[in-house]
Amino acid sequence: MTLIKSISGIRGTIGGPVDENLTPIDAVKFAAAYGTWLKQQRNKDNYVVVVGRDARISGEMIQNLVMNTLVGLGIHVIDLGLSTTPTVEIAVPLEHADGGIILTASHNPKQWNALKLLNAKGEFLNGAEGQKILEIADSNAMNFAEVDDLGKITINDAYIDIHIDEVLDLDLVNVKAIKEANFKVVVDGVNSTGGIAIPLLLERLGVEPVKLYCDPTGHFPHNPEPLKEHLGDLAKAVVKEHADFGIVVDPDVDRLAFMDETGEMFGEEYTLVACADYVLSKTPGNTVSNMSSTRALRDVTEKHGGTYEASAVGEVNVVTLMKKNNVVIGGEGNGGIIYPDSHYGRDALVGVALFLSLLAEKQMKVSELRASYPNYFMSKKKIQLTPGLDVDGILNAMESNYSHEKLTTIDGVKIDFADSWVHLRKSNTEPIIRIYTEAPSQAAADTLADRFIEEIKAIANI
């Protein structure tokens, strides 16, 4: 089964049988269920949905199916075409739309695609709303419009520029200092829409972009998850070009990672740490990230006099806790920056602008900036799920085995040791169990992860 229905949307691989993969029929069914749910939220004459996509090979096909399904429901569609997840998020309220759909499978390989669903605020739906849409899809309780009441599609390809304008207008983005710094930056756009948006942003900021894989063909030149083992070409380019640093984003541009001037990873976990350090230095307050994120954010927050709290994994969970705690910046340790002064969504463009502002003001190399933060090391591993594997049973056994340690069970099982932690959870986006660890050294983090993998295999008899 590679059709995953979760808090993160409807995600699957292209092709194969209906209800088991993301086929055209599944795309139509879930788009119709979403449109039906949206019309149930309030009674009005005209409904509008903003739709955009990353550069995946299947994107145009899926987007056309989704848009014309909405048209069939009598919903008007604003087609952003090639876009980014955060761009669609900011477009929804600017267009006074009722919702939005982004066609992207984020960091998943090219055979995957997904429908990410937004509410009228341009924010992801919560679990209850997502469940209601699944129930509508299962019941086939959709009522389509008559011929005179069909919706219309309007193309608007200006929103990446509008998004950049919004970023540059943020009070904490120090455009003057960035321009004076004369930065040179290599950008790995993984042949998706980051290759459009990030260089345009850099040029507006007076930064010289060196483009690497910035042609939005959807043919990803490497695994699109922005991890060190996938970024050898970026490392070589940064050194060869004598660049100040490197930038890499995932296909839909909501995850952001940096590489220092020597070709070493800044660490995607430290994207949020650095941006939070900058924001907290200007606007003291609280922070939130998810349970699988580095302790370094807690340390930096407390240094600035704020309070840190961790949420369950999933952007909607992070945003909910951010609103509750009235935080000034938050996000996810996978390189996802959520800055409420902009909008409540992970946004690599905002992250780039905040990071450049920090670097310009501190006037230090990226490697020096990284050395100024608490040093933690993470290991991110996974176990492939097989039919019949009792994930809940495994997690319950782990909870029992480590009941004498500090445990958090709001999302899988997280075990906090004195100088390290391990988080075990079933993924929302892939058929895997994730094993995340953090420790004072990479070797210790890897050893801890391997130990728990062996313990899981022993419990599951695999």
Side-chain angles (χ1 to χ4, degrees):
M1 293 285 288
T2 47
L3 186 66
I4 302 172
K5 310 166 190 176
S6 78
I7 197 169
S8 298
I10 312 301
R11 184 178 300 235
T13 49
I14 298 299
V18 175
D19 290 331
E20 291 184 19
N21 302 75
L22 187 60
T23 69
I25 291 172
D26 293 294
V28 168
K29 180 169 72 172
F30 289 111
Y34 170 73
T36 300
W37 170 83
L38 190 136
K39 292 172 74 173
Q40 292 173 355
Q41 302 313 296
R42 50 184 173 167
N43 187 24
K44 52 188 292 198
D45 292 333
N46 291 303
Y47 298 89
V48 178
V49 172
V50 177
V51 182
R53 64 181 173 92
D54 70 13
R56 285 170 190 275
I57 298 164
S58 62
E60 187 175 6
M61 174 191 74
I62 297 293
Q63 182 174 0
N64 284 329
L65 289 164
V66 165
M67 290 195 304
N68 283 295
T69 300
L70 296 173
V71 166
L73 285 163
I75 295 171
H76 300 301
V77 174
I78 298 171
D79 173 13
L80 304 193
L82 286 172
S83 192
T84 78
T85 288
T87 303
V88 177
E89 290 170 350
I90 68 153
V92 170
L94 287 175
E95 290 290 337
H96 306 289
D98 300 281
I101 301 179
I102 306 136
L103 292 318
T104 174
S106 300
H107 62 274
N108 289 102
K110 68 177 183 179
Q111 66 268 31
W112 289 79
N113 214 328
L115 282 68
K116 288 185 174 183
L117 308 175
L118 305 175
N119 62 21
K121 295 178 181 178
E123 299 169 14
F124 286 118
L125 305 187
N126 63 35
E129 292 165 336
Q131 185 57 42
K132 180 63 179 174
I133 289 167
L134 295 180
E135 290 170 3
I136 294 170
D138 286 341
S139 68
N140 282 327
M142 303 91 156
N143 188 24
F144 289 89
E146 295 183 11
V147 68
D148 291 330
D149 299 320
L150 297 175
K152 293 182 173 62
I153 297 173
T154 303
I155 295 172
N156 187 335
D157 58 6
Y159 260 98
I160 287 178
D161 289 321
I162 294 169
H163 186 180
I164 291 170
D165 289 340
E166 294 273 312
V167 172
L168 298 182
D169 284 342
L170 292 170
D171 288 344
L172 294 194
V173 175
N174 193 337
V175 177
K176 181 175 182 289
I178 295 169
K179 286 184 175 180
E180 289 174 354
N182 292 314
F183 290 119
K184 181 180 183 181
V185 178
V186 181
V187 180
D188 182 347
V190 74
N191 283 345
S192 190
T193 49
I196 301 171
I198 301 297
L200 284 173
L201 172 65
L202 294 176
E203 287 167 358
R204 293 280 302 277
L205 286 165
V207 177
E208 179 187 347
V210 178
K211 297 181 184 180
L212 179 69
Y213 306 134
C214 286
D215 188 11
T217 62
H219 292 283
F220 305 145
H222 54 76
N223 185 308
E225 191 162 13
L227 302 176
K228 178 180 179 178
E229 56 266 31
H230 308 147
L231 302 174
D233 290 350
L234 178 61
K236 290 174 187 172
V238 167
V239 173
K240 179 185 174 187
E241 294 287 341
H242 303 289
D244 292 286
F245 63 99
I247 293 172
V248 61
V249 292
D250 66 340
D252 68 323
V253 205
D254 61 0
R255 286 176 65 174
L256 170 66
F258 299 113
M259 183 171 281
D260 74 18
E261 75 282 358
T262 71
E264 288 297 317
M265 291 299 293
F266 188 75
E268 64 169 353
E269 289 289 328
Y270 283 79
T271 301
L272 178 55
V273 175
C275 291
D277 185 29
Y278 177 68
V279 170
L280 291 166
S281 73
K282 308 286 187 181
T283 50
N286 303 324
T287 64
V288 163
S289 65
N290 69 40
M291 292 168 57
S292 286
S293 302
T294 180
R295 282 181 179 175
L297 180 61
R298 177 201 66 185
D299 296 350
V300 167
T301 304
E302 291 175 354
K303 179 188 81 172
H304 288 287
T307 301
Y308 165 79
E309 191 174 349
S311 77
V313 174
E315 185 172 325
V316 68
N317 297 320
V318 176
V319 167
T320 299
L321 190 57
M322 285 178 68
K323 290 178 177 179
K324 178 185 173 187
N325 291 5
N326 195 29
V327 309
V328 293
I329 188 169
E332 299 189 287
N334 60 13
I337 304 298
I338 303 175
Y339 185 46
D341 278 11
S342 175
H343 64 114
Y344 279 104
R346 292 181 300 169
D347 191 331
L349 280 76
V350 168
V352 166
L354 293 175
F355 186 81
L356 283 165
S357 299
L358 172 66
L359 210 58
E361 290 190 10
K362 284 192 174 284
Q363 296 184 349
M364 59 169 55
K365 293 180 179 179
V366 172
S367 60
E368 295 169 341
L369 179 66
R370 176 63 180 82
S372 72
Y373 294 126
N375 222 9
Y376 297 105
F377 296 84
M378 290 190 74
S379 177
K380 300 183 178 184
K381 301 196 176 187
K382 58 183 98 170
I383 294 176
Q384 199 72 29
L385 293 183
T386 54
L389 194 63
D390 182 6
V391 178
D392 291 335
I394 291 169
L395 296 178
N396 289 337
M398 281 294 182
E399 184 180 349
S400 176
N401 292 349
Y402 288 91
S403 58
H404 57 287
E405 301 286 354
K406 181 184 176 184
L407 295 177
T408 310
T409 56
I410 59 170
D411 183 7
V413 178
K414 185 175 184 180
I415 308 162
D416 271 290
F417 303 107
D419 65 348
S420 61
W421 55 259
V422 60
H423 187 197
L424 313 168
R425 58 180 292 273
K426 185 178 179 181
S427 171
N428 290 329
T429 57
E430 298 177 72
I432 58 175
I433 298 175
R434 296 193 185 278
I435 302 99
Y436 283 14
T437 62
E438 186 171 66
S441 71
Q442 191 61 56
D446 290 337
T447 299
L448 187 61
D450 291 339
R451 181 185 120 197
F452 273 86
I453 288 172
E454 290 308 312
E455 290 184 24
I456 289 171
K457 287 180 176 178
I459 292 168
N461 294 316
I462 55 177

